[in-house]
Amino acid sequence: MMDFAMTMIIAETAVLAALLSAIVPLFFYRLPYLQSWLSFLLLGISGLAASWGGGMALLLRTSEQVVLPIGLPWLHISLCLDPLAGFFLFIVGLVTFIAACYGPAYIREYIDGQLGIGPLTVFTGLFVGGMFLVLLAADAFSFMLAWELMSVASYFLVVFQHQRPENRHAAFIYLLMAVVGGAFLFLAYGVLAGFSDGFSFAAMKAATLSPTWATIAFTFAFIGFGLKAGIVPLHVWLPLAHPVAPSHISALMSGVMLKVAVYGFIRFVFGLLGGITWQWGVVVLLVGSASAVLGVLYALMQHDLKRLLAYHSVENIGIIYIGLGLSMIFYATQHLEIAALALIAALYHCLNHALFKSLLFFGAGAILQQSRQHDMEKMGGLIKKMPVTATCFLIGCISISALPPFNGFVSEWLTFQAALQGPILKSGILGAMIPVAAAMLALTGAMAAACFVKVYGIVFLGRPRTPEIEEATDPSFGMQLGQILLAVCCLGFGIFPAWTVRALNGIPEGLIGVGLSSATDKGWLWLTPVSAETASYGAPAVFFGILVSWLIVFVLLHPLRRDNRIRIAPAWDCGFGPLNARMQYTASAFAMPIRRIFSFVWLIVEKVEPAGLGKRSRYILRIDDRLWLLLYVPIGKLMLKIAERTSHIQGGNLRVYLCYSFFTLLFLLWVIV
Amino acid sequence: MTGWFWVIVKTLCVVLAAPLLAGWVKWLKCRLQNRKGPPPWQPYRDLLRLSRKHVVLADTASPIFRVAPYIVFSVTILAVSIVPVITVELPVAALADVIALVGFLALGRFFLSLAGMDVGTAFGGMGASREVTISSLAEPALLMAFFTLAMNVSSTNLSTVIANLAQRDFTLYPSLIFSSMGLILVAIAETGRIPIDNPATHLELTMIHEAMILEYSGRHLALMEWASMLKLSLYSLLIVNLIVPWGIALTLVPIDLAFATLIVTAKLLLWGLILAVSETIQAKMRLFRAPQYLGLAFILSLLGMMSHIILEVQ
Amino acid sequence: MLIASLTLPEQVVLTLAALILLSSFLLLAQVRLDSLINTFALQGLLIFLATVLMAFIAGKYHLLISAALTLFLKVFFIPGQLRLLVIRLNIRREVEVIGNPSLVMLFAAGLVLFSYYVALPIRELSLLSTRNTIAISLAVVLIGMLMIISRRKAVAQVVGFMSMENGLFFAAVVSTHGMPMVVELGIAFDVLVAAILFGVFFFHIRSEIGSLDTDRLNHLTEVEK
């Protein structure tokens, strides 16, 4: 067993390489190109090591512990690498490695900027190192330390382009909510630590809490991890922060940082807390469904490409939480196999979302770099200018819309299968609510497909809408390679689901006690989560079937002997003359029917200013988040009012301040006595 | 291995017979409107004629435009191969279940909408926008109807469902009645028939499916038209085999198969008549009434599921 | 499935119960007044059929008298009176705007689940094979109340009130083989008198405030704005 402790050493190497990638390039600040290459090289090594170590820990189902000699004197940092941590380490490492391929070409434009790329490389390394440490942490202290490192480093990355006030505002909101989330996590760990004899996870796992305290700990953890994961109504920072960061950082934040929050939630609830009740599961299920539906509805109305992708992250986190909620409900009612199925569905979706969301953000970054445009309404016809990016982006769009044969479909299919086992529950009410949640999942899937038809159609197809777009070309090799690798992964995890499910089986065995044994009953070709008679999906055969029928139809219609010329002519224009780019559908026009049907969801301000003296007529459409007005503005006003009342303490009078010191002294003397 | 051979034969037969069903519905509609109408085998002539013509491509078209007809057609063929037509004993049920079937059709619709947007005209964008709106409302209703069915039979595997339903004694299940009504309403919406979409119109304010394939010509148009006729046959087969499952062969014995072929043909012809009558007595709804129509389908499926829980289970 | 163990007439009763619930939902969604009254008549017809079937299943032939009463009142007389009222008040062409029909429908679906939850312990007390329908009849009553709340036109509110009574009657029939005849006739006469009084009342409201929009009754408040 020479791999014993090997995985831990590899994981520690990954962390070390990430931290080195933060520090070492600083020495070369006079040579920015070397600096960027070096930092991304070390980051790439770190990513490879993490995915290798994590993957091995997952497949071999080992669990290793180590206690490092650093930290507080009575509380050393202990790390643990078990299948759950290994899986998430694999995800983070893979996306980091591909970001390292993509990065050097992308940040070339920042080299000549005001600050240079020094802050960018330092904080990227710290951010990635922080994420790895969160996944490996085995006691509350090191977990929170790494968590705060991750949050603060990502704040500096978000605020990197600080010249614009809206970027600063977005970063401020992000930092504020990250800190509030951290406070809730402190409370959650505090509750657990109060009942156990130490801060290590092993001690907390062994602790027993009364149901009330368990619910309190669960609530704190749900809010704390939810703030970082981005569930509704705690999601408002996501669409502000993700668009303003550089694109490879947006991919890292959206693709893997949210998954680290999901990891934390799973670890806390399934691993440490135990004693899950079905009410918790229902709360998680309802919040997940609401996030999924609201996330996709908000995404449909955006026309800033990166903000749209950020709202889709809210939607996908909602889908993951639906899977987790189902798992908790079935676990609490003693249906362990189905709980394992739902948990595997949620974990699979974590992997899939990391892959296709990063792919989409990298594509958006390529478009941004080439055309300097954020706004979809100004793009168009890019498929002819950027064919490689367009193909990879298409694969990303198909995957996120949960269409076969790519990976997004498999995790949604597994979630549906878990939801369809709802009637097995004795309670009729739960048995009725779960299919309704599944119908909401179906609604989000269809709406996501609608949204990505809009995105791909407006951005890549049709005619270019502005002259700047016509200058765009495919980005350089590193960026193309990153996207191609992710596209291949999306296809691979879609065609080999049975193998992936079997690989993931170690996690439910560790957390719930039971794995999904029936998934590969009929061999690796067919995925049968419950049984072959209940449902079966043969992904390789489906892929093969599509290709074969395509080939047959193509051959039948193209016999070489026939004359099958193709004539190129202008598109049909009703005889009115040449068409121009303004006659195409715009993004707002495409989404208009859905906007009218679901108009109660958003806060819509729609105005038409008629033409006046010297100005043209204008149409203004603004879509705002209702939750911001309902929830956050009142809280903000309350905080300001409290702060204003409290500021009366600072009277400005010297004698009043001396009074404060005097009475504090009297009070302390009395306490000592 | 022989099972897979029969799957291919079955798929081929359905693919070749699909234009006949579409032609039968159109002929009946013409007769109901007191016109003579083209014979039921007219679609075959149309498809042959189109496949012989040259293709005219718009200058703004991209590779997606040329690839989309093939993908749409292949995916629809794959979807058809999963649906049991005359027997439930074929091994293709291991390939995909009802949810995957919905996924296949969604993939076809994705590429169809992209092809509509590809040429950069207003018609294509309009058709794509309406199509995705209607399908995003229809999909929850469709899946809810299938869920109710799955809750009743405890499976989403089409062969298991139909075999199970065919072998039960005649029982009135309110859940199945409601989910069948929901399924029929959604099928009419998804196949683009009146009252959601008029398959015979080319007025810009009224077309949905036709708007997306407006720029296609020659063999590409033949493939798109055939795919839409195949989709109609697919939904028709689903409806007749799920709502009236008696008569389907439970084995591969030849005499059973022959008998089942006759019964399925009779069911399809009857369904064609019902569809023709319903299209003749209704007018096409305006687009913003379609959500109410699909909302009704969703409520019916939801009521079916609630009836199952309240009335049918102890 | 328990339903497979019931005889065919009992299955038909369960199907009719589900159709009555559907008609309640349709009542919520109707916008035009004459189709509203027709749907209400349809609901009465379905209850009549269910009562007749229950009479034959259980052998309690006095239910046939209740059925005949229901047919006369709920399918012919009261809808007829409402139609006459609508014509005389000249509101035949009016169309009511329902605030957000999809939310109302979803809430009604939630009400059905809630009434199922409430009816679970009651279900244990009945020995009839059709006791599952108690939840449905409670849902019909609650949806009738929802209709009174969510509508503004007075005629629609009256139809909601009537459908509440439909639900109560249906509950009595399927869970306890009908109420005592005295109670039955008493309720029927109350409903009849209520219908006549409503008719008279409508004319008064209309002449006072000029329309039958009950939100306008807010103007009768004493408090100065």
Side-chain angles (χ1 to χ4, degrees):
Chain A
M1 282 297 208
M2 59 178 268
D3 313 89
F4 241 91
M6 263 289 274
T7 53
M8 186 50 108
I9 295 178
I10 299 173
E12 287 168 347
T13 323
V15 176
L16 208 58
L19 293 173
L20 277 177
S21 87
I23 305 172
V24 166
L26 279 178
F27 293 114
F28 298 95
Y29 68 94
R30 290 197 188 278
L31 303 160
Y33 284 98
L34 181 61
Q35 189 178 18
S36 96
W37 273 100
L38 201 55
S39 81
F40 280 111
L41 181 68
L42 284 168
L43 208 62
I45 293 176
S46 146
L48 264 181
S51 45
W52 182 24
M56 276 218 307
L58 176 67
L59 290 174
L60 297 172
R61 313 211 179 152
T62 57
S63 170
E64 294 162 25
Q65 298 243 18
V66 81
V67 178
L68 297 176
I70 50 179
L72 298 172
W74 64 94
L75 186 60
H76 291 274
I77 292 182
S78 54
L79 304 175
C80 170
L81 182 58
D82 62 352
L84 179 66
F87 173 64
F88 281 94
L89 207 60
F90 172 75
I91 297 178
V92 178
L94 183 61
V95 178
T96 308
F97 171 66
I98 295 184
C101 295
Y102 181 92
Y106 184 75
I107 67 172
R108 214 173 282 162
E109 54 174 329
Y110 294 117
I111 287 181
D112 305 315
Q114 188 187 26
L115 288 172
I117 54 168
L120 199 56
T121 54
V122 167
F123 288 111
T124 311
L126 286 177
F127 177 48
V128 173
M131 283 199 284
F132 288 153
L133 277 174
V134 168
L135 295 173
L136 290 173
D139 68 273
F141 175 65
S142 41
F143 187 94
M144 289 312 302
L145 193 66
W147 185 269
E148 294 297 332
L149 176 65
M150 183 178 80
S151 299
V152 171
S154 52
Y155 164 74
F156 282 108
L157 290 171
V158 169
V159 83
F160 181 68
Q161 290 166 295
H162 58 90
Q163 289 84 2
R164 303 173 62 190
E166 53 261 22
N167 294 4
R168 294 198 296 269
H169 170 73
F172 171 67
I173 301 284
Y174 172 58
L175 185 64
L176 182 65
M177 296 191 74
V179 166
V180 169
F184 274 102
L185 287 183
F186 266 118
L187 287 172
Y189 278 119
V191 168
L192 265 187
F195 284 88
S196 58
D197 54 344
F199 285 101
S200 73
F201 282 178
M204 287 183 180
K205 196 167 178 168
T208 45
L209 286 90
S210 66
T212 333
W213 279 110
T215 312
I216 293 178
F218 172 76
T219 316
F220 285 144
F222 184 61
I223 297 179
F225 286 115
L227 267 168
K228 189 60 120 189
I231 52 179
V232 164
L234 307 166
H235 68 285
V236 286
W237 60 272
L238 244 173
L240 291 173
H242 284 198
V244 307
S247 302
H248 63 302
I249 302 297
S250 304
L252 279 177
M253 283 173 69
S254 203
V256 298
M257 190 179 71
L258 303 182
K259 307 301 169 307
V260 171
V262 172
Y263 160 80
F265 183 68
I266 297 179
R267 172 73 74 195
F268 192 90
V269 173
F270 281 91
L272 300 181
L273 200 52
I276 299 176
T277 60
W278 65 266
Q279 289 93 338
W280 299 353
V282 167
V283 167
V284 174
L285 181 67
L286 287 177
V287 168
S289 312
S291 310
V293 174
L294 284 175
V296 78
L297 281 175
Y298 276 100
L300 263 166
M301 295 298 127
Q302 305 302 321
H303 51 86
D304 177 326
L305 187 54
K306 284 169 77 169
R307 177 158 296 156
L308 183 142
L309 292 175
Y311 270 114
H312 270 288
S313 294
V314 174
E315 172 215 341
N316 281 292
I317 291 288
I319 297 179
I320 296 173
Y321 268 70
I322 289 178
L324 288 178
L326 285 173
S327 180
M328 287 163 77
I329 293 178
F330 285 116
Y331 181 56
T333 51
Q334 305 302 321
H335 294 108
L336 295 179
E337 282 246 351
I338 306 175
L341 170 62
L343 186 61
I344 287 184
L347 292 171
Y348 208 128
H349 201 77
C350 286
L351 173 66
N352 289 344
H353 181 237
L355 291 174
F356 53 62
K357 190 43 71 69
S358 317
L359 174 59
L360 289 170
F361 265 111
F362 286 153
I367 297 173
L368 197 66
Q369 189 192 47
Q370 292 295 320
S371 65
R372 304 247 159 275
Q373 296 288 356
H374 281 261
D375 192 348
M376 271 198 290
E377 308 268 26
K378 303 203 163 46
M379 303 183 191
L382 281 174
I383 192 172
K384 301 202 170 89
K385 311 283 191 329
M386 309 169 79
V388 174
T389 310
T391 317
C392 297
F393 203 88
L394 179 65
I395 292 182
C397 287
I398 302 181
S399 306
I400 199 172
S401 313
L403 298 174
F406 291 92
N407 55 0
F409 174 70
V410 180
S411 49
E412 276 210 17
W413 188 78
L414 286 172
T415 315
F416 277 129
Q417 292 300 328
L420 279 173
Q421 301 300 316
I424 218 174
L425 296 171
K426 285 190 219 59
S427 158
I429 304 283
L430 275 183
M433 262 202 310
I434 291 178
V436 175
M440 291 297 111
L441 184 60
L443 180 67
T444 62
M447 294 238 161
C451 188
F452 278 96
V453 166
K454 172 182 111 168
V455 169
Y456 200 79
I458 302 278
V459 171
F460 286 98
L461 304 178
R463 298 163 204 270
R465 291 176 175 82
T466 49
E468 294 86 34
I469 287 287
E470 305 197 16
E471 314 296 319
T473 58
D474 252 330
S476 54
F477 176 68
M479 289 164 75
Q480 287 185 32
L481 178 66
Q483 293 178 64
I484 294 175
L485 283 175
L486 279 175
V488 168
C489 284
C490 282
L491 186 62
F493 283 110
I495 306 187
F496 299 109
W499 181 85
T500 320
V501 166
R502 199 169 51 201
L504 282 176
N505 223 354
I507 302 180
E509 279 173 8
L511 290 176
I512 300 181
V514 144
L516 194 62
S517 52
S518 55
T520 49
D521 264 349
K522 294 250 163 192
W524 65 275
L525 271 178
W526 317 108
L527 181 63
T528 57
V530 179
S531 75
E533 291 75 36
T534 310
S536 164
Y537 176 58
V542 164
F543 183 58
F544 183 64
I546 295 180
L547 285 181
V548 162
S549 41
W550 184 350
L551 192 67
I552 293 178
V553 171
F554 186 79
V555 162
L556 281 176
L557 282 179
H558 278 253
L560 295 169
R561 64 179 197 281
R562 226 194 302 163
D563 162 37
N564 53 355
R565 274 174 298 148
I566 293 184
R567 256 196 307 145
I568 310 279
W572 184 55
D573 53 12
C574 302
F576 280 119
L579 299 172
N580 63 32
R582 283 298 296 153
M583 294 181 186
Q584 301 175 95
Y585 252 48
T586 61
S588 323
F590 193 90
M592 191 275 277
I594 297 187
R595 189 170 74 236
R596 270 183 70 167
I597 294 171
F598 288 98
S599 55
F600 55 88
V601 172
W602 308 278
L603 206 61
I604 303 178
V605 175
E606 196 173 2
K607 277 194 303 194
V608 177
E609 287 174 7
L613 297 165
K615 69 177 170 91
R616 303 158 68 177
S617 57
R618 281 179 67 191
Y619 170 75
I620 301 174
L621 178 68
R622 224 182 59 214
I623 313 260
D624 283 329
D625 195 336
R626 250 191 224 282
L627 282 165
W628 182 256
L629 276 180
L630 285 176
L631 191 60
Y632 290 89
V633 168
I635 291 181
K637 285 196 185 142
L638 185 66
M639 289 284 129
L640 281 176
K641 216 187 292 188
I642 294 178
E644 200 198 346
R645 292 288 166 84
T646 327
S647 71
H648 287 301
I649 297 180
Q650 194 183 32
N653 194 335
L654 184 63
R655 289 189 297 140
V656 173
Y657 294 158
L658 286 174
C659 234
Y660 290 153
S661 316
F662 182 58
F663 280 111
T664 313
L665 186 60
L666 290 180
F667 176 68
L668 285 175
L669 285 172
W670 176 71
V671 164
I672 291 177
V673 166
Chain B
M1 264 303 124
T2 59
W4 289 103
F5 171 70
W6 284 114
V7 167
I8 296 178
V9 167
K10 168 194 89 169
T11 313
L12 215 59
C13 287
V14 176
V15 168
L16 290 173
L20 193 57
L21 179 65
W24 164 250
V25 173
K26 191 165 171 125
W27 183 76
L28 282 175
K29 269 169 73 173
C30 290
R31 294 307 254 191
L32 283 169
Q33 292 165 11
N34 221 358
R35 294 189 275 145
K36 197 152 170 225
W41 51 86
Q42 179 67 20
Y44 291 111
R45 289 191 192 146
D46 290 331
L47 290 175
L48 266 170
R49 172 176 51 96
L50 282 172
S51 61
R52 277 198 282 257
K53 290 194 166 189
H54 289 157
V55 167
V56 178
L57 273 189
D59 48 2
T60 46
S62 70
I64 300 245
F65 191 77
R66 296 177 65 167
V67 146
Y70 296 100
I71 294 187
V72 169
F73 193 61
S74 324
V75 152
T76 320
I77 293 182
L78 196 64
V80 161
S81 69
I82 298 174
V83 177
V85 176
I86 31 180
T87 172
V88 295
E89 269 299 298
L90 293 174
V92 77
L95 195 66
D97 65 337
V98 140
I99 301 176
L101 180 74
V102 173
F104 291 150
L105 294 173
L107 180 66
R109 199 168 42 228
F110 189 84
F111 273 95
L112 184 60
S113 316
L114 280 184
M117 297 203 72
D118 192 31
V119 208
T121 61
F123 290 113
M126 180 186 75
S129 156
R130 292 174 177 181
E131 172 76 17
V132 299
T133 308
I134 290 182
S135 68
S136 54
L137 296 171
E139 207 166 289
L142 184 64
L143 277 171
M144 194 57 142
F146 284 140
F147 288 162
T148 312
L149 206 57
M151 281 166 79
N152 206 329
V153 184
S154 312
S155 160
T156 51
N157 186 329
L158 272 172
S159 298
T160 314
V161 167
I162 295 181
N164 201 324
L165 287 176
Q167 286 173 318
R168 290 193 193 168
D169 310 319
F170 180 75
T171 323
L172 269 182
Y173 286 101
S175 66
L176 291 182
I177 295 176
F178 281 129
S179 56
S180 314
M181 288 200 277
L183 181 63
I184 292 179
L185 288 180
V186 170
I188 292 180
E190 291 265 324
T191 50
R193 315 298 297 187
I194 291 178
I196 296 281
D197 180 17
N198 191 344
T201 183
H202 283 94
L203 303 171
E204 61 259 26
L205 293 178
T206 57
M207 28 178 200
I208 300 178
H209 180 256
E210 294 297 316
M212 293 188 286
I213 61 175
L214 200 63
E215 285 296 321
Y216 277 114
S217 52
R219 53 181 179 269
H220 296 158
L221 182 59
L223 281 178
M224 284 295 200
E225 293 275 344
W226 205 346
S228 98
M229 292 189 235
L230 206 51
K231 202 163 158 185
L232 177 65
S233 310
L234 173 75
Y235 274 105
S236 309
L237 280 169
L238 269 178
I239 288 175
V240 302
N241 277 341
L242 282 174
I243 300 180
V244 199
W246 305 281
I248 201 160
L250 298 166
T251 58
L252 284 175
V253 172
I255 189 87
D256 278 350
L257 291 179
F259 191 53
T261 316
L262 280 173
I263 294 196
V264 157
T265 318
K267 284 195 275 191
L268 280 177
L269 293 179
L270 185 60
W271 163 250
L273 177 64
I274 296 174
L275 190 59
V277 169
S278 109
E279 285 204 301
T280 312
I281 61 179
Q282 286 181 314
K284 180 184 174 309
M285 286 194 292
R286 64 187 183 92
L287 179 70
F288 287 106
R289 282 200 53 201
Q292 294 173 20
Y293 175 87
L294 292 167
L296 176 66
F298 184 75
I299 292 280
L300 282 172
S301 313
L302 190 64
L303 274 178
M305 187 202 61
M306 289 198 285
S307 314
H308 174 76
I309 293 177
I310 297 180
L311 291 175
E312 294 177 7
V313 187
Q314 175 57 343
Chain C
M1 306 290 138
L2 190 64
I3 192 170
S5 61
L6 298 178
T7 63
L8 189 61
E10 289 167 342
Q11 291 174 6
V12 176
V13 169
L14 288 187
T15 310
L16 284 172
L19 285 172
I20 290 171
L21 186 61
L22 177 66
S23 69
S24 268
F25 272 89
L26 288 178
L27 277 177
L28 274 180
Q30 291 299 342
V31 166
R32 294 171 50 216
L33 283 175
D34 42 357
S35 56
L36 189 71
I37 298 172
N38 290 338
T39 315
F40 172 67
L42 176 70
Q43 191 177 53
L45 184 66
L46 289 171
I47 293 186
F48 161 71
L49 287 172
T51 318
V52 165
L53 272 174
M54 280 305 288
F56 284 113
I57 291 172
K60 307 270 171 106
Y61 293 101
H62 70 84
L63 279 178
L64 286 174
I65 308 177
S66 311
L69 205 59
T70 308
L71 184 68
F72 173 63
L73 278 179
K74 294 290 176 57
V75 180
F76 294 120
F77 185 66
I78 292 182
Q81 287 298 99
L82 283 173
R83 276 191 208 107
L84 277 177
L85 200 63
V86 160
I87 293 176
R88 280 167 61 193
L89 285 171
N90 242 341
I91 51 175
R92 193 148 182 240
R93 296 279 163 81
E94 278 185 13
V95 162
E96 171 159 17
V97 173
I98 309 176
N100 229 327
S102 33
L103 282 185
V104 171
M105 292 287 224
L106 283 176
F107 189 63
L111 277 180
V112 174
L113 277 181
F114 178 69
S115 49
Y116 169 68
Y117 175 63
V118 164
L120 272 175
I122 305 175
R123 208 175 64 167
E124 310 304 321
L125 297 175
S126 170
L127 295 168
L128 289 177
S129 49
T130 53
R131 61 182 179 270
N132 281 333
T133 53
I134 294 177
I136 300 231
S137 35
L138 184 59
V140 171
V141 171
L142 289 177
I143 293 180
M145 181 107 208
L146 179 66
M147 208 177 141
I148 299 181
I149 299 173
S150 67
R151 298 287 203 138
R152 283 170 31 191
K153 295 272 180 253
V155 177
Q157 292 174 344
V158 166
V159 171
F161 173 75
M162 301 286 183
S163 86
M164 276 175 79
E165 205 274 331
N166 269 349
L168 280 174
F169 176 72
F170 186 61
V173 163
V174 293
S175 54
T176 61
H177 288 161
M179 304 177 269
M181 212 53 196
V182 172
V183 178
E184 180 81 44
L185 286 173
I187 294 183
F189 274 120
D190 278 340
V191 169
L192 197 55
V193 168
I196 296 174
L197 280 180
F198 273 126
V200 174
F201 199 42
F202 285 166
F203 276 101
H204 276 279
I205 298 180
R206 231 270 284 269
S207 62
E208 282 295 319
I209 62 174
S211 97
L212 276 179
D213 187 339
T214 52
D215 274 357
R216 299 264 195 108
L217 287 170
N218 290 350
H219 290 276
L220 296 172
T221 178
E222 299 254 332
V223 178
E224 288 295 322
K225 282 275 165 55

